[in-house]
Amino acid sequence: MIVVYHQNNRVNKVISVRNELITFDLHSSIAEVLMMLAHQFPEKPIVWCHQLLENSLNIDKMTTFFHHNKMMLSYDSTLTSFLGNGIGFVEESPFIKVNKKCTYPTWLMSSKVGVIHASSLKLIGGTIKADANFDYFLNSVSKVGMILGLLCYSEPKLLLKNAPNSISRKANLFILFRFVKQHYKKRWIVLLFLNLLIFEKRFPIFPFLYSLFFKNRKKTVLNLDSIPVESTLTVIDKKTIDVIIPTIGRKQYLYDVLQDLAQQKHLPVNVIIVEQNPQSGSISELHFLTNETWPFNIKHTFTHQAGACNARNLALSQVESEWVFLNDDDNRFDERLLETFLNKVRQYGVYVLTTAYLQQNEPQRYSITNQSGIFGSGNSFVKASCLVAVSFDMALEFGYGEDIDFGMQLRNNGFDIIYFPEIRILHLKAPMGGFRIKVKQLWDTEKIQPKPSPTIMYVFLKHYTQQQLSCYKLVSFFKIMKKESVSNYRVFFNQFEKKWNLSYYWANKL
């Protein structure tokens, strides 16, 4: 491991873990020194640390959380990142509002302290100019790398407790616009300009024009497959798996799912089925659960209370195994699904895994293992110990956004969600079962219906920044405005505001 200590935009010293001094060019920028070291020591992790934090660097424990070569970690205890809150105006992902109390997935990096393996830095940094602004360079490496499969995190364990606060450098609007131009599609610099104009009453015309002189890095052609991944973490012990399946009125589809589970090379221990039928006096129709012999234990709960959130929570409360497969009643998969899942968990040292989830004849668009911005409650695997403080939010029952919320709860408890494209589950999108009833929402009696759905607004208010919510509002406005006549603009605008405010009102009620 190589450690680079820096201060005042210059490298002070470079040492190995054995405290051996390593020579470097005193006139080079910090980024240039890192790139030089990456070529000189291609098999080593490279750590950067502000000089004021030298005695607080948790170097002895570094390998316990920097556990494979395709990672990039950083940490800054301050709430605002280098790029500032304005980055929320151009990105709606869960990677912007960072929980500084736990390991949290984000590409927002800091020059205060961090680590990346030389092999990753050589590949990604080699296509990026070694900027004199070290924070800009680090954020560019992580932003480009995350899309390509580099796993990036805010990691408080990089520093010992009670570490002193070093000076944080913050980007101005010129740097923010440049970053957006270099790492997003062109339309986002226009949207950033409009967001700042509308929501912050600023007119950043010069930063906007300045950004036009920079080349976009989003189209960088790189392949990180040459970097081997073999985690040193031990996340699997018993290899036991429970499967949870909420079901309602899909008897034959559920039977097919059970047949797929029965054919697995690595069998689950328990299959936990929560059957719902809201009709009064109804009984279970799943006679095959007891009439046939299955190579696993079936836990069957029948309830008159409909709702996927309640059903999944009931199922999760019955989990006994080390791992949980959140399945659905209209999925199909091959006999190596569970075996492959365990192999990938072992290789990457992950606690939450989500799969490719395609419908019949749907092309697969994403082919890179990376940090997922979504969570699928019908195609994900979670270590049971991660679920102690996590459940499906009943405020979102019969609405939208429960998957998003569940994924955000996991992230805010320190568990990232990794997408593996080679693990595939077919989603049949079966027709709704015959027992579903129209659920009356609290806002159904409103003369003007709220838009977006109050449950979506609820999720935004709960998990995203104000800038991200403002961006969502502006983008929604433009999408809807396309369908409206210019002559009706005033009426349309007033209606849009009323619907938005109603959504905000009911989200707060939820």
Side-chain angles (χ1 to χ4, degrees):
M1 191 171 291
I2 309 299
V3 186
V4 177
Y5 294 100
H6 65 88
Q7 192 170 18
N8 300 324
N9 296 323
R10 280 289 177 264
V11 175
N12 287 9
K13 62 179 177 180
V14 179
I15 63 172
S16 69
V17 175
R18 301 170 187 169
N19 288 324
E20 298 169 341
L21 286 173
I22 297 171
T23 58
F24 61 93
D25 185 352
L26 292 171
H27 302 290
S28 296
S29 68
I30 305 172
E32 288 172 336
V33 172
L34 256 69
M35 288 304 302
M36 178 271 294
L37 293 169
H39 285 86
Q40 188 176 347
F41 303 97
E43 301 300 321
K44 300 284 187 182
I46 298 177
V47 179
W48 63 91
C49 182
H50 194 283
Q51 189 66 63
L52 295 177
L53 297 171
E54 179 177 3
N55 294 329
S56 300
L57 183 63
N58 193 8
I59 196 72
D60 293 336
K61 300 290 185 180
M62 191 80 68
T63 55
T64 63
F65 46 86
F66 187 75
H67 54 92
H68 66 71
N69 295 351
K70 208 181 285 189
M71 299 178 74
M72 185 175 185
L73 312 179
S74 176
Y75 187 66
D76 183 351
S77 59
T78 58
L79 295 178
T80 306
S81 69
F82 165 69
L83 291 169
N85 294 329
I87 195 65
F89 284 133
V90 296
E91 184 166 328
E92 293 178 8
S93 81
F95 308 128
I96 300 301
K97 188 177 180 180
V98 178
N99 185 348
K100 297 300 180 76
K101 296 179 181 179
C102 66
T103 304
Y104 192 91
T106 180
W107 55 266
L108 295 170
M109 295 287 120
S110 169
S111 62
K112 285 188 176 181
V113 63
V115 58
I116 187 173
H117 197 270
S119 57
S120 296
L121 183 59
K122 274 177 61 181
L123 275 177
I124 303 167
T127 65
I128 295 172
K129 180 183 176 182
D131 205 280
N133 186 323
F134 188 41
D135 279 283
Y136 192 96
F137 174 77
L138 292 173
N139 280 274
S140 188
V141 168
S142 58
K143 182 61 178 171
V144 171
M146 191 185 226
I147 298 170
L148 301 170
L150 184 69
L151 306 187
C152 305
Y153 299 93
S154 167
E155 180 52 84
K157 291 192 288 288
L158 282 165
L159 295 174
L160 302 171
K161 291 183 179 180
N162 302 317
N165 287 322
S166 57
I167 297 172
S168 296
R169 299 184 63 192
K170 303 301 176 187
N172 56 36
L173 284 182
F174 286 88
I175 294 175
L176 177 60
F177 269 88
R178 174 192 166 188
F179 191 88
V180 173
K181 173 61 169 61
Q182 290 196 293
H183 301 89
Y184 297 82
K185 292 181 179 179
K186 290 180 181 178
R187 64 173 176 263
W188 285 106
I189 58 169
V190 178
L191 284 165
L192 175 59
F193 180 89
L194 292 174
N195 272 299
L196 289 167
L197 179 65
I198 295 168
F199 299 111
E200 295 189 1
K201 311 304 179 188
R202 303 167 83 175
F203 188 71
I205 186 63
F206 292 115
F208 173 82
L209 295 174
Y210 168 78
S211 70
L212 300 178
F213 292 96
F214 292 91
K215 185 179 179 181
N216 189 278
R217 293 174 178 173
K218 186 177 175 65
K219 298 178 181 178
T220 302
V221 179
L222 278 176
N223 189 328
L224 303 187
D225 289 346
S226 61
I227 301 172
V229 176
E230 199 58 48
S231 174
T232 57
L233 283 184
T234 301
V235 294
I236 296 176
D237 179 23
K238 300 176 183 177
K239 300 182 183 179
T240 55
I241 305 169
D242 282 358
V243 183
I244 70 167
I245 309 175
T247 187
I248 180 168
R250 288 176 174 169
K251 179 180 178 180
Q252 184 57 51
Y253 288 97
L254 176 63
Y255 182 81
D256 292 339
V257 174
L258 292 176
Q259 290 290 345
D260 284 351
L261 288 170
Q263 299 300 317
Q264 291 298 301
K265 299 294 184 182
H266 183 100
L267 287 168
V269 176
N270 299 300
V271 176
I272 305 168
I273 299 169
V274 177
E275 180 187 4
Q276 310 147 72
N277 188 336
Q279 292 181 339
S280 178
S282 60
I283 61 174
S284 174
E285 64 170 5
L286 306 178
H287 308 299
F288 52 78
L289 297 183
T290 53
N291 291 346
E292 297 191 25
T293 301
W294 301 97
F296 37 71
N297 180 46
I298 291 181
K299 294 184 176 185
H300 176 220
T301 300
F302 179 85
T303 176
H304 291 301
Q305 181 177 339
C309 291
N310 177 66
R312 290 193 174 100
N313 286 338
L314 280 174
L316 289 173
S317 69
Q318 301 176 56
V319 167
E320 297 176 351
S321 292
E322 184 181 27
W323 291 88
V324 185
F325 173 23
L326 284 82
N327 197 3
D328 218 340
D329 62 359
D330 59 347
N331 288 344
R332 300 304 304 269
F333 37 83
D334 66 33
E335 70 278 5
R336 295 195 176 274
L337 176 72
L338 300 187
E339 180 183 67
T340 306
F341 140 69
L342 288 172
N343 289 337
K344 288 299 179 182
V345 164
R346 188 182 298 106
Q347 181 187 0
Y348 277 79
V350 299
Y351 292 87
V352 185
L353 177 156
T354 193
T355 74
Y357 200 39
L358 305 175
Q359 297 179 44
Q360 196 77 45
N361 300 319
E362 180 184 357
Q364 186 166 342
R365 295 171 56 195
Y366 303 105
S367 58
I368 298 174
T369 297
N370 61 14
Q371 290 164 289
S372 177
I374 60 175
F375 176 86
S377 58
N379 66 308
S380 296
F381 297 83
V382 184
K383 190 163 185 177
S385 58
C386 303
L387 299 169
V388 174
V390 177
S391 63
F392 286 91
D393 192 333
M394 292 300 293
L396 301 173
E397 191 73 286
F398 302 115
Y400 302 97
E402 75 276 10
D403 286 7
I404 300 172
D405 176 76
F406 194 86
M408 290 303 299
Q409 289 183 56
L410 285 167
R411 294 185 188 93
N412 280 299
N413 278 278
F415 307 113
D416 193 14
I417 301 163
I418 308 299
Y419 164 73
F420 287 91
E422 60 269 52
I423 307 178
R424 299 179 181 89
I425 294 176
L426 175 64
H427 190 199
L428 296 179
K429 275 283 187 179
M432 286 188 176
F435 309 129
R436 285 174 171 83
I437 58 175
K438 173 67 176 175
V439 176
K440 190 173 183 179
Q441 298 285 11
L442 296 170
W443 48 88
D444 282 351
T445 56
E446 297 281 2
K447 291 182 179 179
I448 297 176
Q449 284 298 293
K451 195 175 182 68
S453 163
T455 54
I456 292 295
M457 180 71 79
Y458 172 89
V459 172
F460 261 95
L461 293 175
K462 186 176 178 181
H463 295 296
Y464 293 82
T465 69
Q466 180 58 52
Q467 290 76 17
Q468 288 179 297
L469 181 60
S470 297
C471 173
Y472 179 74
K473 182 178 183 180
L474 185 62
V475 172
S476 299
F477 176 81
F478 284 131
K479 285 180 178 178
I480 300 171
M481 192 177 71
K482 287 181 184 178
K483 305 172 184 178
E484 298 293 326
S485 168
V486 176
S487 60
N488 293 329
Y489 174 75
R490 186 182 294 275
V491 175
F492 162 70
F493 180 79
N494 290 335
Q495 289 285 93
F496 178 85
E497 283 292 317
K498 287 179 181 178
K499 292 177 179 179
W500 181 271
N501 290 335
L502 267 175
S503 178
Y504 190 88
Y505 169 80
W506 283 111
N508 279 286
K509 285 286 186 180
L510 289 174

